Amino acid sequence: KRRVTQIEKNGYPDSIYINAAKIFQGIHIEKNKDGMLVRYGDNSESPMMAFKDEHSRRVSYELAFNALKYQDLLEEILLDSKAYPCHSIPDELTCLLVVMLYDLQDRKFKKRRIFDEEELVAEVEEIGHYLYRYMTKLAAALARCRIKYDALSIECFVPENIWKQEQRASALPLCFWINTFKISLEDVIRDLEMKGLTKVESVSDFDHYTYAVDQHCHDVLVFPSSLREELLHLDLFADCKLLLQ
């Protein structure tokens, strides 16, 4: 059976960090130059990105937008820990620094594993080693920020309007298209039932391990939002037999 890179808190291949940094370069919030303490270099050119597959694309964008959500906090951690500024890191790599810092704190400051047959990227390895050298100071800076703002977790630093949007989005059911070029509805249902999922009549009947066929599009299946991670790790998804809407 095919295997996909698992979405776990043990880091990503170097290519994911590079692509996430390029995405972040184009979406990060530009500060007033007078108050700009963290510099991101020039982003006038559209970056060229090469994604290994759809999973890599999705993870790269997710990592970049998570860094965007916490940009202010991540910058404060870098400055408070004295990890920034650093003369050996050019402004063009600041986006990579911020993206990798987000991932590092998301892993509770544990070292990431190196993936089998991974093609290493010199810039990622350089930033990774640099962050590890400052790991204790970075963790302490995060703790000081949480005390300063009386925050139980970093989720408390998300702006209220974004937090409300995420709450609404996380409650929405998940819709998957059946790729009928590769598999039939009957075979998908058989596969899901073998994995312990039960078909119900409608969204209003959802329990945890349940799903429904869309009432208007019979090649669309609807699942509870709580099943997101499990569904993304199914062979049906890895083999593009189910496509997330």
Side-chain angles (χ1 to χ4, degrees):
K1 291 183 179 180
R2 284 188 50 198
R3 297 179 61 190
V4 296
T5 303
Q6 297 292 298
I7 305 175
E8 298 173 352
K9 301 299 177 65
N10 54 12
Y12 302 101
D14 285 14
S15 60
I16 297 289
Y17 294 112
I18 286 293
N19 283 329
K22 290 178 180 178
I23 296 165
F24 183 72
Q25 179 72 54
I27 63 176
H28 72 272
I29 299 169
E30 290 284 352
K31 307 290 178 66
N32 184 296
K33 288 202 171 184
D34 294 334
M36 186 188 298
L37 298 175
V38 176
R39 301 185 180 277
Y40 289 96
D42 180 37
N43 65 344
S44 56
E45 295 183 10
S46 298
M48 297 294 293
M49 286 174 281
F51 298 103
K52 180 180 176 182
D53 49 33
E54 181 59 30
H55 176 79
S56 298
R57 179 194 299 272
R58 187 177 301 278
V59 173
S60 298
Y61 274 94
E62 182 179 6
L63 184 56
F65 276 91
N66 278 330
L68 176 65
K69 280 195 302 186
Y70 299 104
Q71 180 180 333
D72 288 343
L73 172 64
L74 296 169
E75 290 178 355
E76 187 167 347
I77 292 172
L78 286 171
L79 293 167
D80 185 44
S81 65
K82 303 296 190 292
Y84 187 91
C86 173
H87 298 299
S88 64
I89 298 178
D91 291 348
E92 287 70 28
L93 290 182
T94 303
C95 285
L96 182 60
L97 180 68
V98 171
V99 163
M100 292 186 70
L101 174 58
Y102 170 81
D103 179 59
L104 180 61
Q105 67 77 34
D106 196 40
R107 289 183 279 115
K108 310 300 182 188
F109 295 94
K110 294 178 182 177
K111 284 194 173 184
R112 69 185 180 103
R113 74 179 177 88
I114 301 299
F115 290 82
D116 296 336
E117 301 178 4
E118 176 185 347
E119 184 177 343
L120 300 181
V121 179
E123 292 85 353
V124 174
E125 298 303 304
E126 177 189 353
I127 297 296
H129 291 311
Y130 180 75
L131 288 172
Y132 294 146
R133 291 209 311 271
Y134 276 86
M135 197 142 46
T136 302
K137 292 182 178 180
L138 290 166
L142 173 58
R144 285 192 293 272
C145 284
R146 288 176 55 185
I147 293 170
K148 177 180 176 181
Y149 297 105
D150 194 23
L152 294 176
S153 65
I154 73 158
E155 284 76 16
C156 299
F157 292 93
V158 177
E160 185 177 2
N161 62 322
I162 296 178
W163 181 81
K164 287 181 177 178
Q165 289 175 10
E166 289 186 337
Q167 290 297 106
R168 286 196 295 270
S170 65
L172 292 174
L174 300 170
C175 294
F176 282 83
W177 290 90
I178 298 171
N179 185 352
T180 52
F181 288 106
K182 290 192 171 188
I183 195 168
S184 67
L185 170 62
E186 292 73 22
D187 287 340
V188 170
I189 289 175
R190 190 179 303 116
D191 195 299
L192 293 174
E193 287 178 348
M194 288 176 61
K195 291 178 170 56
L197 280 86
T198 304
K199 181 171 173 269
V200 296
E201 288 302 314
S202 68
V203 172
S204 59
D205 300 320
F206 274 173
D207 195 355
H208 183 54
Y209 286 101
T210 53
Y211 68 96
V213 178
D214 188 274
Q215 295 177 0
H216 303 287
C217 300
H218 293 165
D219 55 353
V220 172
L221 300 181
V222 188
F223 297 84
S225 59
S226 56
L227 287 176
R228 181 184 179 88
E229 292 301 318
E230 294 178 61
L231 292 170
L232 294 182
H233 293 151
L234 291 179
D235 291 331
L236 287 171
F237 183 76
D239 294 331
C240 298
K241 294 175 180 177
L242 282 183
L243 308 172
L244 179 62
Q245 174 64 48

